[in-house]
């Protein structure tokens, strides 16, 4: 049975076999499949990012990005109290480059935590728009080109956390492998140039020389 019985031990949760995505039906099948892969073993980033052969590659990229946003919201929640308008009044990463928040009519200097939340909200609404003018069963190439700029902006959430709140980054990553998965995804689908992925791969659970 594909559900957790009451009283199941933590270690035994989600312990069923992953269903073949081609057996899964409905507009949420791909999302459910991705979530199952993650629950099953979040550290297996290659497998999680590998598109199954009968899934539309554009839908695959789109659904992964939606999932990243869901989980980045968890990261932002964990950063509350760690990253505040006092500790980080401006959004910066490793260098002194200041990122303006583009979620406003005129780009603004939002604090880092506000920048993260505004960006997540904006990314969500862009992706919902893509969904609105199409189904989640197929997504046209013209809409897929909107994904890369979102990926580049969202990556700043990782760099800010890594370079300013290292322990929080490492704690979150140890459990979720989110930046590892995101990096694998960005490289695999050419969303970002490798040189822009500035968090050392040695800190992540992905193969070097990617
Ligand atoms: Zn911060
Ligand atoms: Zn803002």
């Amino acid at each position: 049975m594909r559900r957790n019985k009451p009283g199941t031990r933590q270690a035994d949760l989600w312990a069923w076999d992953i269903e073949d995505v081609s057996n899964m039906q409905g507009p949420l099948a791909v999302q459910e499949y991705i979530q199952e892969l993650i629950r099953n073993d979040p550290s297996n980033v290659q497998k999680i990012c590998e598109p199954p052969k009968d899934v539309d590659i554009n839908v695959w990229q789109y659904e992964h990005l939606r999932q990243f946003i869901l989980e980045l919201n968890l990261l932002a929640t964990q950063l509350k109290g760690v990253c505040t308008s006092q500790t980080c009044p401006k959004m910066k990463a490793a260098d002194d480059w200041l990122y303006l928040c583009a979620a406003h009519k005129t780009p603004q200097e939002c604090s880092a935590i506000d920048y993260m939340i505004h960006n997540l909200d904006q990314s969500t609404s862009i992706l919902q728009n893509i969904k609105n003018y199409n189904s989640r069963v197929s997504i046209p190439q013209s809409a897929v080109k909107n994904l890369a700029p979102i990926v580049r902006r969202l990556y700043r959430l990782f760099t800010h956390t890594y370079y300013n709140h290292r322990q929080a980054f490492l704690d979150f990553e140890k459990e979720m492998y989110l930046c590892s998965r995101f990096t694998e995804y960005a490289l695999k689908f050419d969303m970002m140039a490798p040189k822009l992925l500035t968090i050392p791969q040695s800190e992540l659970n992905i193969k070097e020389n990617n």
Side-chain angles (χ1 to χ4, degrees):
M1 190 133 79
R2 301 170 56 76
R3 66 184 192 83
N4 295 310
K5 294 198 199 80
T8 307
R9 287 182 310 142
Q10 178 85 20
D12 297 332
L13 289 171
W14 316 109
W16 51 78
D17 290 338
I18 296 173
E19 193 175 350
D20 192 332
V21 70
S22 55
N23 296 335
M24 302 174 95
Q25 285 173 0
L28 298 178
V30 177
Q31 182 190 21
E32 285 171 6
Y33 178 66
I34 290 170
Q35 290 179 342
E36 245 186 272
L37 287 172
I38 295 167
R39 276 197 298 265
N40 193 265
D41 181 3
S43 72
N44 196 347
V45 300
Q46 279 88 18
K47 168 140 176 90
I48 293 168
C49 291
E50 184 64 33
K53 62 178 177 338
D54 35 16
V55 171
D56 181 286
I57 190 76
N58 295 345
V59 171
W60 186 250
Q61 293 174 54
Y62 170 85
E63 291 293 348
H64 261 289
L65 190 47
R66 287 186 75 246
Q67 181 65 27
F68 287 132
I69 292 170
L70 289 177
E71 295 186 54
L72 277 164
N73 272 293
L74 298 177
L75 175 64
T77 304
Q78 289 213 357
L79 286 173
K80 283 195 179 131
V82 177
C83 179
T84 67
S85 56
Q86 278 78 45
T87 63
C88 309
K90 291 175 181 174
M91 179 63 176
K92 292 183 178 177
D95 43 30
D96 251 357
W97 185 264
L98 169 68
Y99 294 111
L100 292 178
C101 181
H104 311 272
K105 270 203 188 102
T106 314
Q108 287 182 18
E109 287 186 19
C110 287
S111 67
I113 192 73
D114 283 351
Y115 180 102
M116 296 192 206
I117 292 162
H118 296 167
N119 244 278
L120 287 167
D121 290 348
Q122 192 190 32
S123 303
T124 302
S125 64
I126 296 170
L127 289 187
Q128 294 198 334
N129 257 328
I130 292 176
K131 185 181 88 177
N132 285 346
Y133 65 77
N134 267 288
S135 73
R136 273 164 75 179
V137 183
S138 83
I139 290 169
Q141 203 60 38
S142 59
V144 170
K145 71 173 172 25
N146 295 327
L147 301 184
I150 298 175
V151 170
R152 278 199 300 276
R153 276 201 303 272
L154 289 176
Y155 187 71
R156 295 172 195 161
L157 277 62
F158 292 113
T159 50
H160 176 80
T161 309
Y162 179 79
Y163 288 106
N164 296 277
H165 311 287
R166 183 71 50 93
Q167 197 55 49
F169 177 93
L170 294 174
D171 289 348
F172 191 78
E173 189 62 16
K174 196 170 66 186
E175 195 181 333
M176 309 287 283
Y177 300 92
L178 185 58
C179 187
S180 303
R181 281 187 268 134
F182 195 94
T183 303
E184 173 79 12
Y185 169 88
L187 289 168
K188 189 176 185 68
F189 299 109
D190 288 327
M191 297 281 185
M192 287 176 69
K195 70 172 179 0
L196 296 178
L197 294 157
T198 56
I199 297 171
Q201 294 197 7
S202 56
E203 297 274 28
L204 303 174
N205 191 51
I206 57 174
K207 291 195 176 91
E208 306 251 0
N209 76 25
N210 210 323

